């Protein structure tokens, strides 16, 4: 697959992730300022939360550490997509999801010094999260699955 196609797939997914994340966060900061809203009783609320740390508020106040980590991960994803000529599109797009989510939260950290979260599960004690977190989490799972399948297939070609 050509570099142009890999970059288009990677950047397309990443840009979609960033835009969707930033639009939903802007909406949440306005619509949820008055308090939480129940979406599915007993399962999901929307509640505005500002987070200076990572998941479960780990590392609260370490905004610049997480910003630098995000920059490093996005750079590593980009370099991998650019250098690996045989990378399948599923893996390219999965890495784009990780990068898009990382950039979405990075924008919050740099602009506001904190990340806006708003999805609050009520059926289980779980951290409040946002669209960028969904992109990162689903992207990492997809990267692992795609990479495993791709790597296994490459080993068969060498026999």
């Amino acid at each position: 697959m050509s570099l142009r196609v890999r970059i288009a797939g990677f950047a397309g997914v990443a840009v979609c992730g960033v835009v969707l994340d930033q639009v939903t966060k802007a909406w949440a900061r306005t619509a949820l300022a008055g308090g939480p809203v129940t979406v599915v009783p007993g399962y999901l609320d929307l509640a505005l939360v500002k987070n200076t740390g990572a998941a479960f508020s780990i590392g609260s106040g370490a905004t610049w550490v997480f910003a630098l980590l995000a920059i490093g991960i996005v750079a590593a994803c980009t370099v991998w997509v650019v250098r690996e000529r045989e990378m399948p599109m599923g893996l390219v797009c999965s890495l784009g999801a990780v990068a898009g989510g990382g950039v979405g939260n990075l924008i919050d950290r740099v602009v506001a010094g904190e990340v806006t979260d708003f999805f609050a599960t009520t059926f289980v004690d779980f951290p409040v999260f946002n669209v960028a977190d969904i992109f990162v989490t689903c992207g990492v799972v997809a990267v692992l699955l795609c990479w495993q399948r791709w790597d296994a297939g490459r080993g068969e070609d060498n026999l």
Side-chain angles (χ1 to χ4, degrees):
M1 174 183 335
S2 74
L3 176 60
R4 184 175 298 201
V5 171
R6 290 193 316 273
I7 289 175
F10 176 80
V13 172
V15 167
C16 285
V18 172
V19 169
L20 187 58
D21 176 64
Q22 291 299 302
V23 166
T24 57
K25 286 175 180 174
W27 171 84
R29 286 189 291 269
T30 302
L32 303 174
V37 173
T38 298
V39 177
V40 181
Y43 291 96
L44 181 66
D45 288 351
L46 299 178
L48 187 61
V49 174
K50 304 293 181 144
N51 184 359
T52 60
F56 302 98
S57 294
I58 295 170
S60 288
T63 299
W64 289 105
V65 172
F66 293 115
L68 292 174
L69 183 62
I71 291 167
I73 290 170
V74 169
C77 290
T78 305
V79 167
W80 192 15
V81 168
V82 168
R83 288 190 177 173
E84 184 54 62
R85 292 184 176 143
E86 301 302 318
M87 183 178 287
M89 187 53 83
L91 184 53
V92 169
C93 291
S94 299
L95 289 166
V98 173
V103 170
N105 281 338
L106 176 63
I107 290 169
D108 281 17
R109 291 183 198 288
V110 170
V111 171
E114 59 193 8
V115 174
T116 299
D117 292 324
F118 56 92
F119 289 115
T121 58
T122 55
F123 67 98
V124 64
D125 186 21
F126 193 76
V128 180
F129 56 97
N130 59 45
V131 171
D133 298 334
I134 295 169
F135 267 76
V136 169
T137 302
C138 293
V140 167
V141 170
V143 163
L144 294 174
L145 293 173
C146 291
W147 184 21
Q148 186 275 331
R149 183 174 180 197
W150 175 49
D151 195 45
R154 289 193 312 174
E156 292 171 7
D157 291 341
N158 293 331
L159 294 177

